[in-house]
Amino acid sequence: MRHVLGKKTLMTVINALAFRRLFYCSSVWSGISMKNVLKLQSVQNFAARIITSTRKYDHIQPILRDLNWLNVESTIKYRDGIMAFKCMNGYAPEYLCEQFILQSKIHSRNTCNRDKLAIPLCKTAAGQKGFVYRATSIWNSFSQDLINLNNLNSFKRLYKLSLLEQ
């Protein structure tokens, strides 16, 4: 089909059929093992090779960058970061927003970390794979420019650009 369809049409078909299923509920399964992330990455790499008509042994990172696609690990981080932004700005359900506590709510000292989130205590590695722990870590890694944004679309654009630069 790639010889019949144009690049833009192929991207639309792959987004509709493959990536919709690939990243469905990514926040739920984002704590999966690296082995499973690599399997998902190989699917994404295959889709990029179909669109750009590149060979199997060509390096994939420049191809993904040209397509403005994040790799699977960054996409999972991106989706968790968006959900953290929604929780911190009241765009998410209340039960989820209540899970995040600012350092300034815990104590009244004016420190440089007052805009950071309190990291939940987790005694196990499984607890650290939970959404609240991951989202808190991601939120605390944001620059002050990202934290101060109020517009979701601006946040998505700037956050994706920062992940593409990494």
Side-chain angles (χ1 to χ4, degrees):
M1 290 292 292
R2 75 174 166 196
H3 304 294
V4 177
L5 301 174
K7 182 177 178 179
K8 192 171 184 174
T9 308
L10 272 174
M11 284 182 70
T12 303
V13 169
I14 288 175
N15 279 327
L17 298 177
F19 290 161
R20 184 186 68 178
R21 297 185 191 285
L22 191 68
F23 297 120
Y24 175 73
C25 288
S26 62
S27 288
V28 173
W29 51 256
S30 59
I32 61 175
S33 68
M34 197 55 162
K35 180 182 176 184
N36 290 331
V37 170
L38 291 175
K39 287 179 183 179
L40 295 174
Q41 186 64 53
S42 67
V43 172
Q44 186 184 34
N45 294 350
F46 182 70
R49 291 180 201 288
I50 289 173
I51 290 172
T52 58
S53 299
T54 54
R55 294 186 313 255
K56 182 178 181 179
Y57 296 105
D58 290 343
H59 192 63
I60 196 68
Q61 285 300 335
I63 297 167
L64 293 176
R65 199 172 301 117
D66 289 342
L67 293 171
N68 281 332
W69 288 359
L70 297 170
N71 62 18
V72 172
E73 195 171 353
S74 295
T75 301
I76 292 169
K77 188 176 178 183
Y78 175 71
R79 292 185 182 241
D80 284 347
I82 289 172
M83 187 55 81
F85 179 84
K86 287 179 179 181
C87 290
M88 293 305 297
N89 290 296
Y91 298 129
E94 189 176 331
Y95 70 90
L96 202 53
C97 296
E98 291 172 350
Q99 300 293 317
F100 299 95
I101 302 168
L102 286 172
Q103 290 281 355
S104 60
K105 303 271 183 181
I106 295 174
H107 59 76
S108 60
R109 292 184 292 271
N110 192 11
T111 64
C112 62
N113 290 330
R114 64 185 162 86
D115 292 333
K116 304 283 184 185
L117 291 173
I119 297 176
L121 298 175
C122 296
K123 295 182 180 182
T124 63
Q128 293 177 358
K129 290 182 179 183
F131 169 72
V132 175
Y133 187 89
R134 287 189 332 267
T136 300
S137 301
I138 291 170
W139 179 264
N140 288 343
S141 70
F142 286 161
S143 67
Q144 199 63 34
D145 296 336
L146 283 174
I147 290 173
N148 291 334
L149 287 174
N150 290 328
N151 186 348
L152 182 61
N153 291 329
S154 299
F155 174 80
K156 286 180 180 181
R157 184 177 42 81
L158 289 175
Y159 186 39
K160 185 172 183 179
L161 285 175
S162 70
L163 287 173
L164 282 171
E165 289 174 1
Q166 291 178 356

